[in-house]
Amino acid sequence: MTTMDINQLSLDQRLQTVIARLFGIEDAAFRDALLQNSSFIELDGGDTLFEKGEDSDHMYILISGRLHAAVDIDGKQKIVGEIGVGETVGE
């Protein structure tokens, strides 16, 4: 299933697909336990998830869209990477 295909699914279906890919587990009890202990955030285009140097004790799993990893060079944002559906970011 491609990223384009995943984005056409309902939120629940996207979560199931991404969790199965990431953890290699399709067990409903595992998925439900993971979801019960998770928080969800939604970002708009251009929003910042976190900045370099911030304390981090979270792992984020991207279930829709994409994130850019950017650094500030001489006052300008330079994109140095991209995080896609099913990938994680944070610690």
Side-chain angles (χ1 to χ4, degrees):
M1 182 173 289
T2 67
T3 299
M4 180 76 98
D5 295 335
I6 288 175
N7 287 328
Q8 302 303 314
L9 300 174
S10 70
L11 176 60
D12 188 55
Q13 291 170 320
R14 278 187 265 164
L15 288 168
Q16 290 176 38
T17 301
V18 168
I19 290 169
R21 280 186 186 173
L22 187 61
F23 296 102
I25 299 172
E26 295 188 30
D27 179 66
F30 174 82
R31 183 187 67 243
D32 292 345
L34 181 64
L35 295 177
Q36 287 175 358
N37 291 289
S38 299
S39 299
F40 295 89
I41 61 170
E42 186 173 335
L43 300 174
D44 292 324
D47 285 354
T48 300
L49 180 59
F50 59 85
E51 295 192 16
K52 182 179 178 179
E54 289 182 346
D55 288 338
S56 176
D57 61 356
H58 295 80
M59 177 178 83
Y60 300 93
I61 303 170
L62 191 62
I63 60 169
S64 180
R66 63 184 177 181
L67 293 173
H68 286 140
V71 295
D72 185 54
I73 298 175
D74 297 326
K76 295 183 181 180
Q77 291 279 314
K78 176 174 172 67
I79 296 173
V80 295
E82 184 173 286
I83 296 87
V85 171
E87 295 183 285
T88 62
V89 66
E91 314 178 358

